[in-house]
Amino acid sequence: MTIDEVSKKFNLTKDTLRYWERIGLLPEIQRNQSGYRDYDEHAVNWVYYIMVLRKAGMLIESLSEFVKLLREGDQTIAARKSLFIEQRDALIERRDNINKTLRYLDYKIDHFEDHMLGYENEKLAYEGKLTEEK
């Protein structure tokens, strides 16, 4: 696949793909006879892998550390797993904070008219136009 095809397939910019390659997140991308990048299945799988981890919020530094550990071999399995666990825990915390915010917004939306009515009553009271119901 060309860089343009990979870019479109994963909705990534070509600059992002070049950057990931330059900093070593992707394996060396082969070049065709014209010198253009030619992504094989292995490279495309790596693009997908890095993209998913980025969507999970993993920082470039953590991804670089993971790739470095991966290249060091099986003796780094525990360290790599630990990076994933840390990322999962951070993602769960982020999800929990988003859920809290959603609950707050739902409450505000569900009670929006109450807040507006309160404001309108305050405005009427200020203007001396509010009549108290008994």
Side-chain angles (χ1 to χ4, degrees):
M1 294 180 81
T2 67
I3 193 169
D4 191 54
E5 292 169 329
V6 174
S7 172
K8 287 176 182 169
K9 178 179 177 108
F10 295 112
N11 196 28
L12 296 166
T13 67
K14 291 182 261 187
D15 286 338
T16 295
L17 293 168
R18 289 184 195 106
Y19 175 67
W20 288 355
E21 181 184 356
R22 187 174 63 250
I23 66 171
L25 294 181
L26 299 177
E28 184 178 336
I29 307 300
Q30 299 301 312
R31 304 285 179 138
N32 65 19
Q33 294 168 337
S34 301
Y36 294 109
R37 287 171 176 82
D38 186 17
Y39 289 77
D40 61 12
E41 185 178 349
H42 177 71
V44 170
N45 288 341
W46 266 98
V47 169
Y48 179 76
Y49 193 51
I50 298 300
M51 179 193 69
V52 169
L53 292 174
R54 286 293 291 145
K55 284 184 178 186
M58 188 173 270
L59 301 173
I60 292 292
E61 295 79 12
S62 297
L63 279 166
S64 294
E65 176 68 14
F66 176 80
V67 171
K68 178 180 123 345
L69 291 169
L70 182 64
R71 290 180 177 146
E72 290 176 9
D74 287 348
Q75 68 271 16
T76 66
I77 288 173
R80 287 182 273 149
K81 183 178 180 181
S82 179
L83 282 173
F84 280 165
I85 291 169
E86 288 173 21
Q87 189 58 46
R88 182 201 57 207
D89 291 347
L91 198 55
I92 288 170
E93 183 177 345
R94 208 166 99 210
R95 180 195 63 199
D96 291 347
N97 286 330
I98 289 170
N99 285 338
K100 286 179 189 176
T101 303
L102 284 170
R103 283 192 301 273
Y104 176 77
L105 287 173
D106 285 343
Y107 175 81
K108 294 297 277 184
I109 290 166
D110 290 345
H111 296 89
F112 192 78
E113 287 76 18
D114 298 342
H115 297 292
M116 292 306 295
L117 183 59
Y119 168 76
E120 289 299 322
N121 284 339
E122 290 172 11
K123 183 178 168 190
L124 290 172
Y126 175 78
E127 295 172 353
K129 298 177 183 173
L130 183 65
T131 59
E132 300 215 13
E133 297 177 3
K134 296 186 181 184

